[in-house]
Amino acid sequence: MEPQNTQVPNHWDRKGLPAWSFFSPEMLEAEKEQLFRRHWQVVCHVSDIPNAGDFIASDLVGERALVIRGQDDVVRAFHNLCRHRGSRVVAENSGNCRSAIICPFHGWAYNLDGTLRGASQPQSLPDLDPVKMGLKPIEMEIWQGFVFVRFKPGPQPAVAKIMARFDKELAQYDLENLVPVEDSFWASEIEANWKCVRDVDNEGYHVPMAHPGLHDLFGTNYHDEPFTDGTSRSLGQFRQGKHRLWSVEQYRNILSPPARLDDDHKAAWLYVGMFPNLVFGFYPDSVNFYHEFPVENGMTIQRGTTYRHKDEDRQMRAARYLSMRIDRITSKEDEQLIEWTWEAAFSSGFDGITLSDLEYGVKTYHDALRKLFPVLDGDEPPAGTLQKANDDRLGALAT
């Protein structure tokens, strides 16, 4: 896939989002509802739950998702919510329920297809319809083996349609046949508004200064494309010559890319972003994803994991270990930058940002936010009026 025309306009708004949008509790609640509950969120890959009863649970913005494989081999998604008192029906992030899902509160039992098997001490309850009182399903889509859920109806089309422009490029990674790397799911707390995470991640301008490992790997061969129809693309092609850092030099020496990759991707890391908060990393040795969720204005959870190729040999495993090491260091470096950008806004000397042409991806992401929240184009609405003000602006734009 050839890079798109990324010509930056001569005159564009370099100020970014208004400062109030990073601190407003009403803005954060609107974002939780419109962005995180009404947009697709990835949970796992089908290979994470290969056997009947295997499950992955995931929490975000007050919602609790449970993805489980049934006795019929079908993968389903439910709210992790007992129909009795609302307890979690699974307490762990992953595991196996064998033949039934048993609520740890009062012992209500559900079949693996979500239907109610039975309540404890049923004589104390009225007759319960096994379907109507079964676990509540969540809208789900499986794309290239990755399981996505959406808690409420939203504006996005199917994941397959959103990602369609990458179909040819991604076909060579054999995504449906990926398998999980053991114990690779991770989560970290970042003391910042979630948009600070996106703002750092949506540009490569900081790579030469802030990420010695990535810069040693790519050199100047890294470019970002702006957000287009809900997705973004960045490509870092490995530079030639000797590398300064041990992990980068060993990675380049050990890596023997799969024959199925074309010449442009045998020595490159490809990143594909999907609005509002997901990034996939496609490497010759592995595939990963990471995304973030707001908790409050000063606290964000970032979560991710890595998958390996089914035909991985010892050499590829060593290369994957090194790429994951480079990634872990990069993530920690980014966490510090994210928190610094958040801290800056509390300073009496801070009077806003000025974006470089190399940060045009940040601007186009902000534009995507403004389409859903045109209220971001003005001053902060009076307390208690943000949702109405935004609805009024959306209505005016629609006429």
Side-chain angles (χ1 to χ4, degrees):
M1 182 174 181
E2 292 299 319
Q4 295 185 351
N5 181 4
T6 56
Q7 183 67 39
V8 178
N10 290 327
H11 303 287
W12 55 283
D13 183 359
R14 298 176 183 270
K15 297 189 301 297
L17 296 176
W20 65 261
S21 69
F22 291 82
F23 298 97
S24 165
E26 290 180 57
M27 187 72 230
L28 187 68
E29 292 308 308
E31 291 165 344
K32 288 180 179 179
E33 178 67 15
Q34 296 301 324
L35 293 176
F36 295 94
R37 295 189 181 100
R38 297 185 182 274
H39 285 69
W40 293 109
Q41 302 294 339
V42 69
V43 176
C44 63
H45 190 276
V46 292
S47 62
D48 286 305
I49 47 173
N51 304 308
D54 286 348
F55 69 84
I56 295 285
S58 182
D59 296 4
L60 63 143
V61 296
E63 302 287 356
R64 309 194 305 239
L66 166 64
V67 174
I68 188 166
R69 188 179 292 273
Q71 295 284 8
D72 54 4
D73 204 38
V74 174
V75 174
R76 298 177 176 88
F78 303 101
H79 290 273
N80 186 8
L81 197 77
C82 183
R83 299 302 302 278
H84 173 217
R85 293 275 296 277
S87 169
R88 297 171 185 266
V89 291
V90 299
E92 300 81 16
N93 292 328
S94 63
N96 183 278
C97 289
R98 297 189 180 181
S99 62
I101 305 165
I102 309 297
C103 177
F105 195 177
H106 293 89
W108 282 37
Y110 299 87
N111 295 309
L112 300 186
D113 64 1
T115 55
L116 179 66
R117 175 177 289 193
S120 59
Q121 303 188 45
Q123 73 280 1
S124 69
L125 294 158
D127 290 339
L128 301 174
D129 184 286
V131 175
K132 290 182 179 179
M133 290 300 291
L135 298 178
K136 284 192 172 183
I138 302 174
E139 184 181 7
M140 185 192 78
E141 181 180 348
I142 298 176
W143 170 81
Q144 302 281 2
F146 289 96
V147 182
F148 287 78
V149 300
R150 180 163 56 183
F151 294 99
K152 294 184 178 182
Q156 287 179 308
V159 177
K161 184 173 182 180
I162 297 170
M163 301 290 282
R165 73 184 183 103
F166 304 110
D167 282 352
K168 183 178 179 181
E169 184 174 28
L170 298 184
Q172 59 193 315
Y173 290 95
D174 195 25
L175 299 181
E176 292 186 353
N177 291 313
L178 294 172
V179 293
V181 172
E182 187 176 358
D183 297 326
S184 70
F185 267 105
W186 57 269
S188 61
E189 293 184 354
I190 302 176
E191 295 181 358
N193 179 278
W194 73 272
K195 293 189 293 296
C196 295
V197 181
R198 284 290 97 230
D199 282 357
V200 169
D201 202 55
N202 281 331
E203 51 90 1
Y205 182 33
H206 69 286
V207 168
M209 186 68 185
H211 298 313
L214 289 188
H215 188 55
D216 193 25
L217 183 62
F218 302 143
T220 58
N221 304 324
Y222 182 87
H223 69 271
D224 298 308
E225 297 173 15
F227 260 84
T228 303
D229 297 326
T231 60
S232 63
R233 178 180 182 271
S234 301
L235 187 69
Q237 293 181 306
F238 304 161
R239 70 174 181 85
Q240 299 299 312
K242 187 172 178 60
H243 298 272
R244 294 185 303 103
L245 300 180
W246 178 89
S247 56
V248 176
E249 179 69 10
Q250 294 305 310
Y251 176 62
R252 293 287 281 117
N253 288 338
I254 292 172
L255 179 64
S256 178
R260 60 178 171 267
L261 296 182
D262 63 31
D263 290 342
D264 287 339
H265 295 79
K266 277 185 168 68
W269 286 3
L270 169 68
Y271 302 94
V272 172
M274 182 175 135
F275 188 82
N277 62 324
L278 173 64
V279 177
F280 280 108
F282 302 100
Y283 303 171
D285 54 277
S286 59
V287 172
N288 63 62
F289 72 73
Y290 58 92
H291 50 178
E292 65 282 333
F293 309 107
V295 178
E296 55 192 41
N297 275 328
M299 181 60 66
T300 296
I301 301 295
Q302 191 169 47
R303 169 184 180 267
T305 192
T306 299
Y307 298 90
R308 63 178 178 84
H309 300 296
K310 186 179 291 186
D311 58 357
E312 178 184 81
D313 58 17
R314 292 181 65 184
Q315 185 172 350
M316 184 65 78
R317 181 180 181 182
R320 173 174 56 78
Y321 170 82
L322 290 166
S323 71
M324 291 176 68
R325 184 176 187 274
I326 296 167
D327 261 344
R328 284 194 300 271
I329 294 171
T330 301
S331 294
K332 285 300 179 183
E333 291 163 346
D334 270 341
E335 284 182 23
Q336 182 65 81
L337 298 175
I338 292 161
E339 291 179 359
W340 282 346
T341 60
W342 170 249
E343 291 171 357
F346 294 93
S347 169
S348 61
F350 182 75
D351 56 4
I353 65 175
T354 304
L355 294 172
S356 158
D357 285 351
L358 297 176
E359 297 167 297
Y360 190 63
V362 177
K363 193 267 185 190
T364 57
Y365 180 81
H366 289 178
D367 287 346
L369 288 177
R370 290 185 180 100
K371 287 182 180 179
L372 290 173
F373 300 108
V375 71
L376 292 171
D377 282 328
D379 295 332
E380 182 178 8
T385 69
L386 184 143
Q387 189 62 59
K388 183 179 185 306
N390 197 64
D391 290 343
D392 289 346
R393 293 199 182 201
L394 285 170
L397 290 171
T399 58

